[in-house]
Amino acid sequence: MSGHKPALYRDRHDFRRSPEPAGRNPGNRPVFVIQAHDARRLHYDFRLEVAGVLKSWAIPRGPIPDPRRKRLAVRTEDHPLDYADFEGSIPAEQYGGGTVLVWDAGTWRNRSRDGRGRPLSADRALKAGKLSFELWGHKLRGGWALVRMKGQGKNWLLIKEKDAASDGRRNPVSTQPRSVLSGRTLTGVRRDTEQASPP
Ligand code: MN
């Protein structure tokens, strides 16, 4: 893409200015980010801003906009909001070791309801084990749900809801691998980090 990038891509990037449908006010919407993380095994860390932190799940196969295909999403620890625009390589022996890029980012809206159809806060929906939400990202859009699997602890499923943004033929994990912040691939991020700090 455009010339030299620092090893740690840390330009402040306002996710709230990500693509938005006309006529909506994105100003107060919380952010979401999906970080491709090439650790011992490549996975996709899905993070939603809730009450000032990033609620997080690791998705081994990555998200897919096909409502017929559920993706395992393993709940991981909350991350600080600052981590949302992190790209770079972390030494293998450290927590989170491996190479990270911002695979998708944007804003999201909670649209969870309780059993009587009343709006439910994101926090309460997560405790109840089902969060319904809408994404406005570069690669992912429309309605989604995260549903906790019964009796399986940290295991949830990420499911696309049927709507105008669902697509049974598209697999953006394989067709759109690059960072939405820097345009780099995982290989590019790793190379930039190595050049910035030779062993
Ligand atoms: Mn990870």
Side-chain angles (χ1 to χ4, degrees):
M1 307 301 280
S2 59
H4 175 76
K5 295 287 181 190
L8 300 187
Y9 191 85
R10 273 289 188 186
D11 290 352
R12 293 311 300 180
H13 175 90
D14 189 353
F15 291 174
R16 292 179 178 86
R17 289 170 61 202
S18 294
E20 290 292 334
R24 289 182 187 270
N25 172 13
N28 296 318
R29 252 196 243 121
V31 302
F32 86 92
V33 62
I34 300 174
Q35 285 160 315
H37 184 190
D38 193 6
R40 270 174 303 180
R41 188 165 184 180
L42 175 65
H43 59 273
Y44 293 78
D45 290 305
F46 185 57
R47 310 188 195 279
L48 296 170
E49 178 186 356
V50 177
V53 298
L54 295 169
K55 300 288 178 188
S56 299
W57 292 259
I59 306 175
R61 301 184 65 195
I64 190 156
D66 183 348
R68 295 166 307 179
R69 289 154 90 182
K70 301 169 169 55
R71 289 297 203 227
L72 175 66
V74 182
R75 185 77 182 265
T76 55
E77 64 191 56
D78 296 353
H79 275 54
L81 207 47
D82 264 2
Y83 194 71
D85 58 3
F86 175 77
E87 283 190 1
S89 288
I90 302 165
E93 64 275 13
Q94 289 180 21
Y95 174 81
T99 302
V100 175
L101 66 69
V102 176
W103 183 81
D104 199 10
T107 57
W108 74 285
R109 179 173 72 93
N110 170 37
R111 55 184 198 194
S112 305
R113 305 252 159 195
D114 68 11
R116 295 178 195 168
R118 295 174 302 198
L120 203 56
S121 73
D123 224 30
R124 297 183 75 171
L126 287 174
K127 287 192 178 90
K130 184 176 179 191
L131 181 74
S132 296
F133 54 96
E134 189 167 2
L135 296 180
W136 288 271
H138 297 260
K139 298 172 184 171
L140 302 184
R141 316 282 293 209
W144 296 76
L146 273 163
V147 182
R148 190 167 55 215
M149 296 167 79
K150 285 192 173 60
Q152 294 209 32
K154 295 171 184 294
N155 288 354
W156 294 58
L157 293 169
L158 176 68
I159 308 165
K160 181 75 192 76
E161 291 173 359
K162 278 187 196 172
D163 58 22
S166 49
D167 187 339
R169 289 157 306 180
R170 198 167 68 97
N171 184 0
V173 162
S174 52
T175 59
Q176 298 173 274
R178 288 175 183 272
S179 165
V180 297
L181 293 191
S182 66
R184 296 181 296 178
T185 60
L186 282 163
T187 306
V189 172
R190 192 178 307 113
R191 193 181 49 225
D192 289 352
T193 308
E194 283 163 4
Q195 284 171 0
S197 51

